[in-house]
Amino acid sequence: MAHSFCVFHQLKNVSKRYYEEFSSIEEIPDNDKITYNEISQLILSDTVISAVAHIQKNTRI
C-alpha cells in the first residue's frame, strides 16, 4: 500500500504534537515557534524545488 502525502493531516499531526507538549500557544518557547513555522512552510510547499529553496534560504549563515 502506498502512503500518500496529505497536507491537512501532516499539519494536523505536527500541531497535535505541539499541543500535547505545551498546554497553550503562549507557553511555546520562541525557538519552538520558529521550528513549528519552518515545518509548516515545508509541508505547505507546492513543489520539492520550493521546499529545497526554502530550506537553503533559511539555513544560510
Side-chain angles (χ1 to χ4, degrees):
M1 174 192 279
H3 179 76
S4 63
F5 181 81
C6 174
V7 172
F8 171 78
H9 285 105
Q10 294 297 325
L11 286 173
K12 180 181 167 187
N13 291 337
V14 169
S15 296
K16 181 180 174 187
R17 297 271 175 139
Y18 273 83
Y19 289 121
E20 287 174 350
E21 184 72 26
F22 306 102
S23 57
S24 72
I25 293 174
E26 292 80 24
E27 292 184 18
I28 299 174
D30 289 339
N31 286 339
D32 288 314
K33 286 180 186 176
I34 292 169
T35 302
Y36 175 81
N37 288 331
E38 291 296 316
I39 291 169
S40 298
Q41 287 299 314
L42 290 175
I43 292 171
L44 293 170
S45 294
D46 291 331
T47 65
V48 172
I49 294 170
S50 63
V52 170
H54 180 76
I55 291 169
Q56 289 176 342
K57 181 180 95 174
N58 291 309
T59 58
R60 291 186 181 152
I61 297 174

